[in-house]
Amino acid sequence: MSHNPHKDFFKNVHEVVQLIPPGRVTTYGAIAAYLGLKSSARMVGWALNEAKHQSHIPAHRVVNRQGLLTGKQHFSVSLSMEERLRQERVQVINNQIQQFEKVFWSPEELEVVTE
DNA sequence: CCAGTGACGGCTA
DNA sequence: TTAGCCGCCACTG
């Protein structure tokens, strides 16, 4: 059994991302903080990079702190990050999520739901 | 092994 | 308010 800490972290990221409701988005930092590694937001991006080949993980619902689609380069041209979000009625203009505060979802909300 | 690179974000000037 | 710095750490050449 190889207990690689970062592998577990990646797996946890995948699980959290799958819980983001359609039509909502969260941030790299919010996921990192929820998993107890507040200063490792960059690693969330790495984890999503691996998730790229797993279509059931909605990586397009993760944006940066400002609501910008900084990870758009990692999505196919045929179905871009922006298009995936639009399909869920999330407004995007110039890579910027509109009404970001309203669309933002935090993993912290899970505490309420699971109780 | 070492240096450079990032799907980030907090802090400082 | 904006721009730059730097801590973070897995991965690559």
Side-chain angles (χ1 to χ4, degrees):
Chain A
M1 299 304 223
S2 62
H3 289 150
N4 301 322
H6 66 282
K7 294 294 183 186
D8 290 338
F9 177 72
F10 283 14
K11 189 178 173 189
N12 289 335
V13 169
H14 296 166
E15 291 177 354
V16 173
V17 171
Q18 289 184 71
L19 298 174
I20 307 172
R24 307 291 296 282
V25 301
T26 191
T27 67
Y28 304 97
I31 293 172
Y34 179 71
L35 295 178
L37 289 174
K38 190 173 174 144
S39 58
S40 297
R42 300 186 98 141
M43 294 304 100
V44 174
W46 271 107
L48 293 183
N49 211 328
E50 289 192 349
K52 190 156 56 171
H53 304 289
Q54 303 173 240
S55 56
H56 60 286
I57 299 180
H60 60 283
R61 297 182 192 141
V62 185
V63 297
N64 83 348
R65 187 185 55 149
Q66 306 172 57
L68 290 169
L69 279 54
T70 47
K72 65 179 294 187
Q73 296 299 328
H74 298 267
F75 291 80
S76 66
V77 190
S78 54
L79 187 56
S80 69
M81 185 176 187
E82 183 170 327
E83 288 172 324
R84 289 171 194 239
L85 287 168
R86 287 225 170 103
Q87 287 181 354
E88 301 179 359
R89 308 299 168 103
V90 174
Q91 311 291 114
V92 180
I93 299 178
N94 265 351
N95 300 320
Q96 169 69 58
I97 303 277
Q98 303 301 295
Q99 306 177 75
F100 181 50
E101 301 228 331
K102 195 170 181 176
V103 181
F104 177 74
W105 174 87
S106 171
E108 303 296 334
E109 296 181 26
L110 289 172
E111 302 303 326
V112 182
V113 176
T114 51
E115 267 319 307

